[in-house]
Amino acid sequence: MDNEKPDTMEKTQAGTIYDAVYRTLTVSCSRLLLPVLNEVFGESYTGEEFVDFSLNEHFMNRQDGKQDKRVTDTSFTVYGSEKKKYLFECQSRPDSSILIRFFEYSTQIALDDGKVVGDVLEVEIPHCAILYLRSWKSTPDRLQIRMNTPGGSVAFEVHALKLQEYTIEEIFEKKLFMLVPFYIFTYEKHFGEYNTDEEKLNKLQAEYAGIVTCLDRLVEQRQLSSYEKSMIIDLSKKVLEGIAARYEKVRKGVREVFGGKIIETDTLRIYRAGETDTKRRTSFKLYDLGMKEADIARVLEVSVSKVEEWLSAATVTA
């Protein structure tokens, strides 16, 4: 996601958090990807389609015979009325190297699934998009990769989804629930004010209280599952810890809205048992996609030993 030289704690530590949050949310709540694809590509997915994720590690051959490992954020196939492949990356801010990485990723993905028919190698470039967590007026809506070949020029586009162009009302209206954990980026430039002005901080808390209320209502209306809501809130906290690392009052104020006193009931205990099983199954998916045990543990809020226990048991069973 980020290949920039770190000069702050946010860049060195939170970049990894944003990567993990994005990958975890897309893999564990893959249904939430579909409205985003509708928004970016003009698709008409209903939410009933099947999303199949590919391995996120690819090896690029170099001229000296060695291989370089490249890790993509999210590469997947949607099976609906037709089969479509996608490469959807997440970037905290625009940088000039993104097109090079998209070219590397997309061509390698195409080659992985390529097939030789007679004397012809057929490859399919995935539909490409990028989620910009930060953007500016100069950030383009679409980027382009053009290949000049002896047989002519071929080009394909990388669509850009710019988080900061969406209000929270638009996010809920368009069912772009996958963007909610990153919505705190829209307030980033005001963190200094919130950290010193209690009245402004209270307004931020009120906004997030409204977000939590909306999520609760969506669960009641069965537009979101309890698990999806729980993941959105938990991962929102992860993003908050990264982006507001230097603003203690902001972190504490927003976390208070997400938290609150929880009454232990039989229903909640049953739900938590199910949630643990879902986390266990999610850990398998994240591990298969190349995430390390420590990163899985941090995102799912369990111990590293618990993740190792789950993975070990799965290996023995297999």
Side-chain angles (χ1 to χ4, degrees):
M1 180 170 125
D2 287 325
N3 285 345
E4 302 163 336
K5 291 184 178 179
D7 55 12
T8 68
M9 185 188 335
E10 190 273 333
K11 288 182 183 177
T12 57
Q13 296 181 359
T16 303
I17 293 174
Y18 306 151
D19 288 339
V21 166
Y22 179 74
R23 196 179 308 159
T24 301
L25 186 60
T26 53
V27 171
S28 63
C29 302
S30 59
R31 190 171 67 102
L32 303 187
L33 266 172
L34 298 171
V36 177
L37 298 179
N38 291 343
E39 176 71 6
V40 177
F41 295 103
E43 303 286 10
S44 54
Y45 293 128
T46 64
E48 300 300 320
E49 294 78 10
F50 175 68
V51 182
D52 183 31
F53 290 89
S54 307
L55 291 176
N56 69 328
E57 289 188 357
H58 297 275
F59 291 88
M60 311 297 179
N61 294 320
R62 288 170 28 183
Q63 290 181 344
D64 59 7
K66 295 181 180 179
Q67 290 183 323
D68 286 334
K69 184 171 76 172
R70 295 289 187 271
V71 180
T72 65
D73 281 341
T74 309
S75 172
F76 55 93
T77 301
V78 175
Y79 293 87
S81 57
E82 61 180 311
K83 172 185 171 183
K84 285 190 178 181
K85 292 194 294 186
Y86 296 90
L87 172 61
F88 208 141
E89 294 285 294
C90 182
Q91 184 85 3
S92 70
R93 52 172 60 81
D95 77 71
S96 58
S97 66
I98 189 63
L99 281 174
I100 297 173
R101 299 205 303 278
F102 260 101
F103 176 76
E104 290 180 334
Y105 299 162
S106 60
T107 53
Q108 189 61 50
I109 290 168
L111 188 58
D112 287 345
D113 295 330
K115 59 182 179 180
V116 176
V117 180
D119 296 325
V120 178
L121 170 64
E122 292 186 359
V123 295
E124 179 185 348
I125 296 292
H127 299 267
C128 296
I130 182 168
L131 168 61
Y132 282 127
L133 303 181
R134 299 182 180 95
S135 59
W136 293 274
K137 290 182 178 180
S138 59
T139 304
D141 294 327
R142 297 186 184 185
L143 302 86
Q144 190 177 83
I145 296 175
R146 183 180 300 278
M147 295 175 284
N148 297 315
T149 76
S153 180
V154 179
F156 65 93
E157 293 182 326
V158 178
H159 296 245
L161 179 65
K162 292 175 274 190
L163 168 75
Q164 294 179 326
E165 290 189 348
Y166 289 85
T167 65
I168 194 62
E169 290 79 15
E170 289 173 321
I171 287 174
F172 280 109
E173 178 185 348
K174 296 184 176 184
K175 300 183 179 180
L176 305 177
F177 309 132
M178 200 182 83
L179 302 185
V180 174
F182 300 107
Y183 185 64
I184 192 68
F185 273 83
T186 63
Y187 293 103
E188 182 182 20
K189 64 182 180 181
H190 300 297
F191 282 171
E193 301 171 36
Y194 299 144
N195 216 49
T196 57
D197 190 319
E198 186 173 349
E199 183 177 347
K200 290 183 179 180
L201 180 59
N202 289 339
K203 290 182 179 179
L204 178 63
Q205 288 179 297
E207 172 105 20
Y208 267 89
I211 290 174
V212 173
T213 298
C214 285
L215 293 174
D216 288 337
R217 187 179 303 118
L218 289 169
V219 172
E220 292 173 1
Q221 296 170 350
R222 298 188 178 181
Q223 294 188 49
L224 277 179
S225 69
S226 295
Y227 174 72
E228 288 167 337
K229 175 207 162 187
S230 176
M231 287 297 291
I232 288 171
I233 289 179
D234 287 347
L235 295 176
S236 294
K237 295 177 186 176
K238 300 290 185 185
V239 174
L240 175 68
E241 291 299 318
I243 194 173
R246 295 184 291 114
Y247 301 93
E248 182 179 357
K249 290 185 178 180
V250 173
R251 294 199 318 275
K252 182 178 178 181
V254 177
R255 282 188 68 92
E256 284 178 356
V257 177
F258 285 136
K261 185 177 180 180
I262 298 176
I263 300 174
E264 189 74 13
T265 64
D266 289 339
T267 301
L268 184 56
R269 279 190 286 272
I270 293 170
Y271 168 72
R272 282 180 172 166
E275 183 182 36
T276 298
D277 184 62
T278 303
K279 286 184 177 182
R280 178 180 62 82
R281 286 183 280 111
T282 299
S283 73
F284 301 156
K285 294 181 182 179
L286 295 176
Y287 184 76
D288 286 341
L289 290 172
M291 190 179 288
K292 298 184 187 319
E293 289 94 332
D295 292 331
I296 295 172
R298 185 171 68 250
V299 171
L300 297 182
E301 293 188 329
V302 297
S303 65
V304 175
S305 61
K306 175 57 70 175
V307 172
E308 292 173 344
E309 175 189 328
W310 288 338
L311 296 176
S312 177
T315 302
V316 171
T317 302

